[in-house]
Amino acid sequence: MKAVRNWQEGFRWDETELLAYKSDAAHFENITRQLLFNAPHGLSTQLRYFEISPGGFSTLEKHAHPHAVVVLRGTGRVLINSEIHDLAPFDLVTVAPWAWHQFRAEDTSTFGFLCLVNIQRDQPVLPSEDDLAKLRRNSLTSSFIKL
Ligand code: MN
């Protein structure tokens, strides 16, 4: 890998492939992934750039591994457990282990963010019927979640 890969218009980077968000069937809409750093030179983390088109959303999930997120583009919202937060460029989001989380773009905004993860990490868990019942008991999270 080159020491420098330049940023390109449209939030692409040199020599960096535009990938599907996930290869499994977990529910999501209108979201792409670019793997900016894949544990280079023995670093134990990956840095990904996710971009959600207007109205799209990431999978509602939880897992043991944390996320450290930096918003780069547009506006959106994140659900973390029972809280919903508005997000704009350069806001920072920490997703703690086993916190439910889901990112959404606003209907009129392309929403992009960096997400740092350990290269060795567990698989996401999707909500059970019981988990969904709990999330739906709260009117805020009930109206936010997309499945
Ligand atoms: Mn996650």
Side-chain angles (χ1 to χ4, degrees), residues 18 25 38 69 72 83 91 95 144:
L18 189 64
N38 189 13
V69 168
L72 286 193
E83 295 183 355
D91 287 343
V95 178
F144 181 89

Side-chain angles (χ1 to χ4, degrees), residues 1-9 11-19 33-38 47:
M1 181 184 292
K2 283 197 218 160
V4 174
R5 287 168 292 143
N6 291 111
W7 182 82
Q8 305 286 0
E9 287 299 318
F11 282 81
R12 297 294 312 276
W13 284 264
D14 286 349
E15 297 179 23
T16 305
E17 214 181 332
L18 189 64
L19 302 167
R33 173 171 61 101
Q34 294 176 73
L35 184 54
L36 305 183
F37 293 103
N38 189 13
L47 186 66

